[in-house]
Amino acid sequence: MKIFESLQPMQAWSLATKNRGEKIAFVPTMGALHEGHAALLSAGKKLGDKLVLSIFVNPLQFGLNEDFHSYPRDREKDLAVAKNCGVDAVFLPTSIEMYPKGFQTAVEVEELSKPLCSPCRPGHFRGVATVVLKLFNIVQPDVALFGEKDWQQLKIIQRLVHDLSLPMEIIPVPTVREDDGLAISSRNQYLTKEERQAGLSLSLSLAKAQAMVDQRCKEAGAIIQMVKATLEETKKIKVDYVSICHPETLQELQTVKKPALLAIACFIGKTRLIDNVLLK
Ligand code: AMP
């Protein structure tokens, strides 16, 4: 497994790979790899001749009061997971390599970056879109894999690829959950035992919403109220948002009609968790 810490050798390897006619599958991450990331890597392994993983905790997508400095970092464990998943090349750049002095360009996917997570995390998706486009230009993938857990991010990247005519395909991968339903996230490491227990309310509330829809409730307001009440049953949870929206435009819906996305974000202590479900 190749390890690249600098941009030029990574790009040269990718260009040489493509010149040999080989297809590159790419999984961008912030590290602290878990089974969710492994699912993306295993899907990528099937889609490309070569599998590239990037690990970069991107300062541009963190707000001033967010967890950039405390975000979990474990290079040796991540490299072991990567090897196990059959990764051919890992790109591990430093911030200074990615954003040298004088860097001033940003990418913004305007409308999709307004709702859901954006009011709480201003500038977050600008940072995501900017780093992802830069990573795409370095790694030159034919396909890149993104998790449905971060639904808004997935839609923003799909839009970016379409709008800027990038010659590549974005492949969505379903959310990987713990046996008890908790969506796996690098940030779950922050949770105490009690907070983790409270975190189960997220997936539970999504399941209850689906049950309401199954019983023919179509009123978004009523479902949202039930989801909020379920989440707030535990005093440890502070709801950021509960939204029922169109899965492509992310515009709020009054009535649940196919397709509809139910997306939630909550704080449990200092940890912000998100989850979502496509209501069937
Ligand atoms: P992150 O390292 O958190 O930035 O995530 C890197 C990629 O892994 C993103 O495309 C995420 O959506 C995806 N991902 C994170 N957690 C999960 C999960 N539980 N299931 C599926 N994909 C995930």
Side-chain angles (χ1 to χ4, degrees), residues 217-231:
C217 174
K218 294 214 156 80
E219 202 196 318
I223 298 171
I224 289 172
Q225 214 176 14
M226 181 282 297
V227 170
K228 278 189 178 153
T230 303
L231 292 168

Side-chain angles (χ1 to χ4, degrees), residues 26 136 140-146 157 161 165-170:
F26 178 42
F136 285 170
Q140 303 269 320
D142 297 280
V143 293
L145 298 101
F146 285 82
I157 302 303
V161 164
S165 308
L166 304 186
M168 59 178 295
E169 202 183 340
I170 300 299

